[in-house]
Amino acid sequence: MKIQRCFTIHCALLLLPVLLIASFATAEDKKKDNSKDACANPNPASLCSADNTCGSASAPCTVNVKRTSYSSSATPSIPGAKGNDLFCVKAGTTVTWQSTSKGTGFLIDPGASSPFDPPGTIMGGSEKSVSVVAKTPGCFTYHLSATAQNGIYGKSKAAQAQLIVLGGQ
């Protein structure tokens, strides 16, 4: 009986640090996810600056969609921009979705409340860029998926990113 009790106490003491580390890691992941959710911000437009605003009413914004090793990525034509980072466009800006990666197709799903004209899913690829006009101001989460045309490795994991459409100036 004493051996069983001792064994149970030792097991509990060994498991305690593992459980604490797991709970801290989960809490950190939730913090990171919330901090990346621009649309949860009470004033998402305040996150826009010259450094993350793409194009203008007179100059288009080009977004390069590609298949990465394990995911999909959309990178706006902003110096220093990284894939799937938040970016902003002004209402009236033409956004051209394209892929510079040979043999790549993509789907961009802005959801039911699409900020673009024409609305709906954007389907294109390395041989077909698609231009839409940002019309509806607000913060939007879009889903994207890129696929290699040859199909050897199949479709990459879908990803999501956010964009903010600023009211017309």
Side-chain angles (χ1 to χ4, degrees):
M1 186 74 144
K2 201 173 197 178
I3 293 172
Q4 261 185 332
R5 184 172 158 219
C6 225
F7 180 72
T8 305
I9 291 171
H10 286 303
C11 285
L13 289 175
L14 289 173
L15 285 176
L16 184 62
V18 172
L19 293 173
L20 286 173
I21 290 169
S23 67
F24 284 127
T26 302
E28 281 298 311
D29 284 346
K30 287 181 182 176
K31 277 186 200 173
K32 286 179 187 173
D33 288 344
N34 289 340
S35 68
K36 287 185 176 184
D37 187 2
C39 297
N41 187 311
N43 183 12
S46 68
L47 300 173
C48 297
S49 67
D51 293 337
N52 68 349
T53 301
C54 185
S56 66
S58 60
C61 173
T62 304
V63 182
N64 185 32
V65 182
K66 65 182 180 178
R67 181 178 185 268
T68 63
S69 297
Y70 299 102
S71 191
S72 300
S73 174
T75 309
S77 57
I78 302 170
K82 294 181 180 171
N84 299 343
D85 274 354
L86 170 72
F87 71 99
C88 305
V89 295
K90 292 180 181 173
T93 301
T94 298
V95 180
T96 301
W97 300 86
Q98 66 180 27
S99 182
T100 57
S101 301
K102 185 178 178 183
T104 300
F106 62 79
L107 292 173
I108 309 295
D109 182 7
S113 59
S114 174
F116 300 117
D117 185 30
T121 302
I122 300 165
M123 295 181 284
S126 54
E127 295 178 16
K128 180 188 174 205
S129 60
V130 180
S131 295
V132 292
V133 177
K135 290 285 188 183
T136 309
C139 187
F140 302 88
T141 299
Y142 61 94
H143 301 272
L144 63 136
S145 181
T147 306
Q149 187 178 25
N150 61 14
I152 293 172
Y153 298 106
K155 185 173 87 171
S156 63
K157 181 179 174 188
Q160 74 176 26
Q162 294 180 318
L163 94 115
I164 296 172
V165 178
L166 301 167
Q169 266 82 323

